[in-house]
Amino acid sequence: MLQPLRLALVLALTLASGAAAQAQPAMGARVERQRSVTITSTPAEPLPVIHVAAGAPTLLLFSAPIQRKTLTFDESRIRVLDAGERSVIVQPVVDLREGERQEMGVFFADGRAPARAAFVLVTVPAEVDSRIDVRRSEPPSPACPSTAQTLTPRPEDFVLLGFVKEAGVTTSIRKDMGDSAQGLELQPTVSFRGAGWILADVKFMNSPDHPAWTPQEATFAGRLGAPRRARFIMEKQGPILPGERGRVLAVMEIPETETDLVFTLEVRGDGGRRLTIQDVRFPKLASEDAR
């Protein structure tokens, strides 16, 4: 006959082992998990996959109110146990077959993009989603526009900004052969003059027997006063290779006058090479009398 102390110890060990056995998941049972998903913002992105099982309801919690009447799903395969302002509880009628994918979707009430939340429901042996927090992808901040969103200037912008007024724009063409010693063959230079600005459009070719050349700055020099540095724009960034054509624009703001302007334009680059264009003429704008 067992002593009372030994009997109590045996009973305690038996109960403890039984409780531990109950705490362990049964062999082959699915693990329940809670997680978040972000719904897709473009049709090209794959839909979030939700793991469902016939024996375990899955709660979907949305970050914004939904239109319950817009729920779409296959009623022969999926049951919606409850649908609220921000939640849906779903459960398959039976476990979905291996490889079976059921789509379910619902529209948000506010209409903001992405307007619809859609999911793919599947059944897997290892786990089931007990709760899914549904998030929407945020649109890019309007305070930080990307360079791809930069607006292209339009003809009307020049008028609205005051660069072109009722006198219009005058032009002049300067023909020159360039400087053979510098290895830069100049094409006809077109000069433009508008309301408070001048612009020289310079095209040239780097001689095949000279090294690559990178223009770096431009200056306008008048008959009086020191040369003034121009705003400098290259059509193509980087060096102009031997035998390659290049194009630069030199722009400068000037006071509005009623006389012709004549400048010497100099474009300087690496290696000490420079392109000098003399007598670049900017005719005065048309007067009221001429119109």
Side-chain angles (χ1 to χ4, degrees):
M1 182 174 181
L2 293 174
Q3 297 295 327
L5 181 59
R6 295 179 59 190
L7 179 60
L9 181 59
V10 170
L11 289 174
L13 291 173
T14 302
L15 291 174
S17 61
Q22 291 180 1
Q24 294 295 326
M27 292 295 293
R30 293 186 176 92
V31 175
E32 294 187 0
R33 64 176 183 173
Q34 300 181 9
R35 60 191 179 95
S36 300
V37 299
T38 302
I39 61 173
T40 59
S41 57
T42 64
E45 298 179 55
L47 298 179
V49 177
I50 309 299
H51 296 159
V52 296
T58 298
L59 170 64
L60 304 177
L61 289 178
F62 295 85
S63 59
I66 60 174
Q67 300 182 46
R68 288 170 287 183
K69 294 182 179 180
T70 65
L71 272 167
T72 55
F73 56 95
D74 185 349
E75 297 183 11
S76 66
R77 304 296 291 158
I78 303 296
R79 286 196 297 258
V80 172
L81 304 181
D82 185 60
E85 183 182 6
R86 292 173 176 257
S87 64
V88 175
I89 301 176
V90 298
Q91 188 176 18
V93 176
V94 295
D95 283 350
L96 302 180
R97 296 183 295 271
E98 183 179 356
E100 182 180 359
R101 297 166 62 88
Q102 288 290 332
E103 183 173 331
M104 184 184 75
V106 65
F107 281 89
F108 288 99
D110 58 12
R112 182 174 64 83
R116 183 174 183 264
F119 315 91
V120 170
L121 308 182
V122 301
T123 297
V124 297
E127 60 190 18
V128 60
D129 292 318
S130 61
R131 170 174 167 169
I132 296 291
D133 292 317
V134 182
R135 299 173 179 170
R136 300 166 85 177
S137 56
E138 293 295 328
S141 172
C144 302
S146 65
T147 55
Q149 296 173 326
T150 302
L151 296 178
T152 301
R154 299 161 297 181
E156 58 267 33
D157 295 327
F158 295 96
V159 176
L160 293 174
L161 293 172
F163 296 137
V164 178
K165 296 183 179 179
E166 63 274 10
V169 174
T170 61
T171 62
S172 177
I173 298 178
R174 174 74 166 86
K175 295 182 179 181
D176 202 329
M177 297 303 295
D179 191 339
S180 57
Q182 296 287 328
L184 298 170
E185 180 183 336
L186 185 65
Q187 308 298 317
T189 298
V190 182
S191 57
F192 299 82
R193 181 174 178 180
W197 57 270
I198 58 174
L199 182 151
D201 184 356
V202 182
K203 302 181 181 71
F204 61 92
M205 186 182 75
N206 189 17
S207 299
D209 56 348
H210 281 70
W213 184 59
T214 304
Q216 296 173 337
E217 63 176 4
T219 58
F220 285 106
R223 294 188 176 96
L224 299 175
R228 293 178 56 189
R229 190 167 183 173
R231 196 161 63 250
F232 183 74
I233 303 98
M234 291 184 62
E235 182 180 45
K236 174 190 172 185
Q237 298 300 315
I240 309 300
L241 301 178
E244 189 176 55
R245 298 184 183 275
R247 182 186 185 188
V248 299
L249 304 177
V251 188
M252 186 173 67
E253 282 72 33
I254 60 168
E256 294 191 33
T257 63
E258 296 182 359
T259 60
D260 291 353
L261 299 175
V262 180
F263 291 98
T264 295
L265 172 62
E266 189 172 73
V267 179
R268 293 188 288 270
D270 58 350
R273 296 169 65 190
R274 63 187 62 194
L275 187 60
T276 303
I277 313 167
Q278 296 181 351
D279 298 328
V280 181
R281 181 172 175 267
F282 298 91
K284 65 179 180 179
L285 299 177
S287 64
E288 291 287 345
D289 296 338
R291 296 196 304 274

